[in-house]
Amino acid sequence: MKKILVTGGTGFIGSHTVVELLNAGYDVDIVDNLSNSKATVIDQIEKITGKKPNFYQIDLLDKDKLNELFEKTEYNTVMHFAGLKAVAESIEDPLLYYRTNLGATINLLDAMFNYGAGRIIFSSSATVYGEQKFPKYTEDMPTGRDINNPYGRTKYMIEEILKDAYRAYPEICVSILRYFNPIGNHPSGLIGENPNGIPNNIMPVIMRVATGKTEMLDIYGQGYDTPDGTCRRDFIHVVDLAKGHLAALDHSKPGVQIYNLGTGTPTSVYELVKAYERVSNKKLPHHFVGPRPGDLAEYWADPAKANQELGWKAELGVEDAIRDTLKYLELNHS
C-alpha cells in the first residue's frame, strides 16, 4: 500500500488526524519542521495507536530535501497541514506568511506532480469567506473578499493555486476542508493543543489561565450584536475534525471538492467560559476588554454538504472538548 504523507503532522490538528489514519490502517509518514510543535508527539501517537509513523524533520521551503523524500518514497496522497497560522503575527510580518505558506505549498505541489502523488487534502479555514452578510457560511459563498489578515489571504491564495493546478492536471484529486474553530484534545490526554510560545487559539489560553501561567482570560468585547454581547463561533472538537479528513479521503475523486467542517451551532466566548467552569467545577478568572480589531460578531458553518456527500457529522460538543482538555492538563501540567 502506498503511504500517506502528512505535512505538519506533529501539530495540533495534524497529530490527531495521524492517529485516526493509523487506527484506520493507513501507512503514514510525517513531515514537520517542529517550528510550532514537538517531536515527542510521535511517541505519544505510538502510545495511542500502537504504531509509530515515520518522521522526517524537513522544512517544506527546503525543496531539495523534500524532493529527496518523494524520490525515495512512493506517495499517492498528501494531507497538507503545515503552515504558519497566527493572525496577529501575520499582520505584523506579512511577508513571512506569504513566503512560508505559499512557498511551502508550491514546493509541495511540485514534488507531488514530479513524483506521481495525485491526491491532496488541504487544511483551509473559514477565514477565506471574509465578512459575509449572513453568519451561516455555505461553500458556495464568495471567497477572497474582505479578508482582514495575511494569514487568511494565504489560505485563500492556496485554494486558488489548487484550483489552477487542477485545471492544468485534471486527473488530480483536490479536497479543500474549511475549518471553523477547533478545540479540545485527544480523549487519552496524550496529545493536544500545546503550541510553542504564546498561544493564539482560545482553549490553550484558557489552559494557561487554569494552570496559573496567565492571570486572567481576556474576553474581547462585550457589545457585539449577539445574545450575550460576546463573539459567537463554531467550536468543533479536534477529533471530529480529524475524522472529517478520513471522510474526505474516502470520498476523494478527480476534481476540486470543498467542504465546511463545523458543527453548525454557534457558541459564544462567554458560554465557552461558563461551560469550562461547569465541567471543571472551578472558576476561571476572566474579564472583558475592548473589542479586537477585525473580529466578526458571529459566524458558523453550514455543514450540510459534508454531512450529505461525505457521510460525516460532528458528534462531540463543547463539554466533550473541555473534558478532554482537562484530561490533557492532568497528564501534562507540571
Side-chain angles (χ1 to χ4, degrees):
M1 181 176 64
K2 293 181 181 178
K3 290 177 177 284
I4 293 178
L5 180 65
V6 179
T7 75
T10 58
F12 174 41
I13 300 167
S15 62
H16 285 81
T17 304
V18 169
V19 165
E20 297 300 323
L21 286 168
L22 291 171
N23 282 340
Y26 289 99
D27 197 0
V28 180
D29 284 1
I30 291 174
V31 161
D32 204 304
N33 67 1
L34 301 180
S35 65
N36 197 33
S37 59
K38 298 172 180 66
T40 52
V41 168
I42 303 297
D43 296 326
Q44 302 297 73
I45 289 172
E46 185 180 19
K47 287 179 185 176
I48 296 169
T49 65
K51 304 170 188 175
K52 191 167 188 174
N54 293 318
F55 171 64
Y56 301 94
Q57 188 172 347
I58 297 173
D59 192 312
L60 296 184
L61 294 177
D62 189 335
K63 195 167 185 175
D64 291 339
K65 284 189 178 178
L66 187 61
N67 282 327
E68 284 174 18
L69 176 61
F70 272 83
E71 190 170 7
K72 73 178 185 180
T73 311
E74 190 176 11
Y75 299 111
N76 66 349
T77 301
V78 173
M79 289 193 178
H80 183 30
F81 298 93
L84 300 175
K85 62 176 187 175
V87 169
E89 182 185 51
S90 79
I91 293 170
E92 294 166 4
D93 196 349
L95 297 184
L96 173 66
Y97 272 65
Y98 291 121
R99 185 184 307 114
T100 302
N101 292 359
L102 300 184
T105 303
I106 291 167
N107 286 350
L108 179 64
L109 290 172
D110 270 340
M112 286 179 62
F113 299 152
N114 288 339
Y115 294 98
R119 180 184 289 117
I120 183 168
I121 296 172
F122 173 56
S123 165
S124 192
S125 166
T127 57
V128 301
Y129 291 112
E131 187 168 357
Q132 299 284 348
K133 185 177 180 181
F134 301 103
K136 189 175 183 179
Y137 290 0
T138 58
E139 291 89 346
D140 58 1
M141 284 180 166
T143 57
R145 304 176 185 174
D146 301 318
I147 301 174
N148 59 18
N149 61 82
Y151 159 73
R153 281 191 281 276
T154 66
K155 290 293 189 184
Y156 166 72
M157 290 175 182
I158 292 170
E159 288 194 6
E160 295 302 299
I161 290 169
L162 290 169
K163 292 174 188 176
D164 286 339
Y166 167 69
R167 293 184 188 105
Y169 306 97
E171 71 279 6
I172 67 171
C173 307
V174 176
S175 298
I176 293 171
L177 305 181
R178 294 173 179 162
Y179 306 168
F180 279 69
N181 294 80
I183 59 171
N185 299 279
H186 193 269
S188 66
L190 293 171
I191 58 172
E193 189 171 14
N194 187 22
N196 298 335
I198 302 299
N200 299 288
N201 295 341
I202 189 165
M203 197 56 81
V205 176
I206 287 176
M207 290 162 63
R208 289 177 68 88
V209 175
T211 55
K213 292 179 181 176
T214 300
E215 184 179 348
M216 196 166 293
L217 174 69
D218 293 337
I219 299 179
Y220 295 101
Q222 200 177 6
Y224 289 100
D225 186 16
T226 61
D228 64 20
T230 67
C231 293
R232 296 207 298 170
R233 298 290 182 261
D234 190 337
F235 295 108
I236 176 172
H237 197 298
V238 66
V239 172
D240 278 333
L241 190 59
K243 289 178 178 178
H245 292 74
L246 271 70
L249 177 60
D250 290 342
H251 291 81
S252 68
K253 57 188 177 182
V256 179
Q257 319 300 324
I258 301 174
Y259 299 100
N260 287 335
L261 293 185
T263 67
T265 303
T267 300
S268 77
V269 174
Y270 188 65
E271 287 172 334
L272 185 66
V273 169
K274 292 289 112 180
Y276 188 93
E277 293 182 337
R278 189 165 58 248
V279 174
S280 67
N281 201 29
K282 293 179 182 177
K283 286 292 183 183
L284 187 74
H286 62 274
H287 65 164
F288 296 93
V289 297
R292 189 164 49 182
D295 270 354
L296 303 181
E298 56 183 358
Y299 61 84
W300 61 92
D302 181 342
K305 185 180 178 186
N307 297 166
Q308 293 160 10
E309 294 186 12
L310 301 181
W312 170 89
K313 187 175 183 180
E315 298 176 344
L316 301 168
V318 165
E319 292 197 357
D320 297 303
I322 292 167
R323 196 171 296 112
D324 294 337
T325 297
L326 292 170
K327 178 69 172 177
Y328 182 77
L329 274 179
E330 177 190 330
L331 294 182
N332 296 277
H333 174 58
S334 55

